[in-house]
Amino acid sequence: MNSDLHLYVTHLVIVMVVTMILVQTLFHFRKATRKLILSGGSKAIAWTLDRCNRLLHIMLMSPVKARPGARQNTPE
């Protein structure tokens, strides 16, 4: 198996196990506690996605790796 694919499958299995543990745990909490956990989790996910978006933008739009004369190629 390709090592990259193996890495992705491993991460997928870990995420699935953690998700199942969280779901099972949430069933045993009171409603107010569940709301607090879900609210905190959604904020953490939104923060992570924002940081990944910024990182991806920096990696793809980095001026360091821009080819010379890239600004002069605008349509006239």
Side-chain angles (χ1 to χ4, degrees), residues 5-74:
L5 183 59
H6 181 66
L7 183 68
Y8 292 133
V9 170
T10 303
H11 284 104
L12 180 66
V13 169
I14 290 171
V15 167
M16 288 174 56
V17 168
V18 168
T19 303
M20 289 306 299
I21 290 171
L22 251 158
V23 168
Q24 291 297 319
T25 305
L26 285 175
F27 285 133
H28 298 288
F29 285 126
R30 292 179 303 158
K31 189 173 183 177
T33 309
R34 283 193 301 246
K35 284 184 180 180
L36 184 65
I37 291 171
L38 292 176
S39 173
S42 65
K43 287 178 185 175
I45 291 171
W47 182 86
T48 303
L49 289 176
D50 184 48
R51 295 300 176 260
C52 289
N53 186 25
R54 288 183 185 185
L55 179 64
L56 184 63
H57 183 23
I58 289 170
M59 288 176 12
L60 294 176
M61 304 298 286
S62 176
V64 174
K65 296 180 182 179
R67 58 187 171 80
R71 288 188 181 258
Q72 287 104 15
N73 290 342
T74 58

